[in-house]
Amino acid sequence: MEGDNVSNAFVVRSLDEIRFWSRIMKEHSLFLRLGFRCEDTQLINEANHFYATFESIESRAQAFSAETDPQIIQRFNVEVHTAVSHIWVFKRKVLGLILTCQLIGQNNFPLLLDHTSREAFYFRNRLEQLNAGKLDPLPDAIINENVFFLRIMADHAKFIAHLLDPSERKLVDQAREFSDDFDKLLFQARDLDSMRPQSQTAPLLDQFLDQNRVSVQSLRDFKKTARDLIEACRIKSIIHPLLADHVFREAERFLFIIDMFENALTGKPVTNIEGSH
Ligand SMILES: [Fe+2]
Ligand SMILES: [Fe+2]
């Protein structure tokens, strides 16, 4: 019976990660494609190929359920892992082309390539951990996930600041403030990381989560407002509405993870992780 619960938890966690991140990978393919020059047909084809791959993974993940045989999910995880490795290589290749000025005039920031490749690396690592049955112990997971996501949030604030029209002065200022705030939080997280394992006390980790949550909530609200304004064509920017929604969903994901850690630290029951979409 206990074995059943463990395998059920493995299936539920795997599907939760794949449903969230395969959609993210699919959207990265779209954003990268939109930034390429029209003569870069090879890169455009590769991006389209990744879009189709992750779209298919996404719909297959939706078709599985908590009752699916864990062995099927184990094989699915391996297959998704391969696809994620390939998109990681693609993103790093494009980063190399941009940094050596071989794609003059294309519109993707180098930091966007690095950022989306870090997200792919994170996803790939999570699939490896799930299949190996080796998730980080809670105190390590808390620091690792926060270091990862705080940097992601700091990058988002920078992207927003740079993609808003320069005439949207108030919004650009707000985005820059978020960028500074998250840079500071990231440095604090790295300090806590370097003070491991002595820093991994319950009160310090709890305070760390509380402080990060406050900032992520306000960034999440800012992204939501920006998304709504962009969708309603009320502000000037070169932000695709889907990109605005994409970064909003990533903030929601971080908040969900913070809450899951908080519950685990304080011994409260963990809410259903399938409710995170
Ligand atoms: Fe992303
Ligand atoms: Fe992101």
Side-chain angles (χ1 to χ4, degrees):
M1 192 61 211
E2 201 178 299
D4 273 4
N5 281 338
V6 170
S7 56
N8 185 274
F10 162 76
V11 171
V12 170
R13 286 209 71 157
S14 299
L15 291 179
D16 174 67
E17 297 286 353
I18 295 176
R19 285 172 187 163
F20 181 81
W21 289 107
S22 62
R23 182 175 178 197
I24 293 292
M25 295 298 124
K26 180 185 77 173
E27 291 171 353
H28 289 168
S29 319
L30 173 70
F31 302 143
L32 296 185
R33 179 172 70 72
L34 292 175
F36 291 141
R37 305 172 300 184
C38 33
E39 65 262 39
D40 293 322
T41 49
Q42 177 61 31
L43 293 176
I44 291 170
N45 288 343
E46 282 184 81
N48 285 340
H49 158 78
F50 283 117
Y51 189 94
T53 301
F54 284 101
E55 188 171 49
S56 138
I57 288 170
E58 194 188 358
S59 63
R60 283 160 64 206
Q62 295 298 350
F64 291 130
S65 74
E67 278 71 48
T68 305
D69 183 348
Q71 286 192 323
I72 293 177
I73 298 300
Q74 186 124 23
R75 282 198 294 275
F76 186 46
N77 285 351
V78 171
E79 194 189 322
V80 178
H81 182 277
T82 305
V84 181
S85 301
H86 288 150
I87 200 173
W88 181 85
V89 170
F90 176 65
K91 289 164 173 171
R92 300 307 292 188
K93 177 182 78 176
V94 174
L95 176 63
L97 292 171
I98 298 172
L99 292 181
T100 50
C101 297
Q102 295 181 66
L103 295 177
I104 300 291
Q106 67 85 39
N107 284 315
N108 295 307
F109 287 127
L111 187 65
L112 182 76
L113 270 302
D114 181 59
H115 175 98
T116 57
S117 81
R118 269 184 268 127
E119 290 178 352
F121 195 86
Y122 170 93
F123 182 22
R124 186 173 69 169
N125 183 250
R126 180 49 40 85
L127 292 167
E128 280 170 21
Q129 288 181 325
L130 282 162
N131 265 12
K134 280 195 287 198
L135 294 178
D136 288 342
L138 183 67
D140 287 334
I142 290 177
I143 294 181
N144 294 344
E145 294 278 322
N146 278 276
V147 167
F148 171 76
F149 272 104
L150 287 170
R151 187 169 171 203
I152 292 296
M153 296 299 121
D155 291 344
H156 288 169
K158 292 171 179 64
F159 295 140
I160 296 168
H162 286 251
L163 295 170
L164 281 164
D165 190 79
S167 70
E168 294 286 1
R169 293 158 206 269
K170 300 288 273 180
L171 287 171
V172 172
D173 274 357
Q174 280 185 49
R176 286 214 185 103
E177 277 166 31
F178 277 115
S179 165
D180 291 345
D181 186 26
F182 278 91
D183 283 348
K184 284 197 192 88
L185 291 174
L186 175 59
F187 273 112
Q188 287 191 167
R190 285 181 178 157
D191 292 337
L192 209 58
D193 184 349
S194 134
M195 293 183 206
R196 281 199 244 204
Q198 288 82 358
S199 61
Q200 290 170 314
T201 69
L204 284 175
L205 292 175
D206 199 31
Q207 175 60 19
F208 176 57
L209 291 174
D210 283 350
Q211 198 179 15
N212 292 343
R213 184 194 289 103
V214 172
S215 290
V216 183
Q217 277 169 343
S218 58
L219 178 62
R220 185 264 321 263
D221 294 344
F222 175 72
K223 286 170 169 176
K224 189 171 191 294
T225 306
R227 182 197 65 183
D228 295 346
L229 292 172
I230 289 165
E231 274 172 6
C233 206
R234 290 169 75 95
I235 52 175
K236 306 180 284 313
S237 81
I238 51 168
I239 300 173
H240 193 294
L242 191 60
L243 178 63
D245 188 58
H246 180 103
V247 296
F248 164 72
R249 270 183 271 122
E250 289 178 356
E252 287 270 82
R253 181 83 181 170
F254 187 18
L255 277 177
F256 161 73
I257 289 170
I258 289 176
D259 287 342
M260 196 183 61
F261 285 147
E262 178 79 44
N263 290 340
L265 261 187
T266 55
K268 274 189 246 152
V270 177
T271 48
N272 181 5
I273 63 171
E274 285 201 298
S276 69
H277 300 284

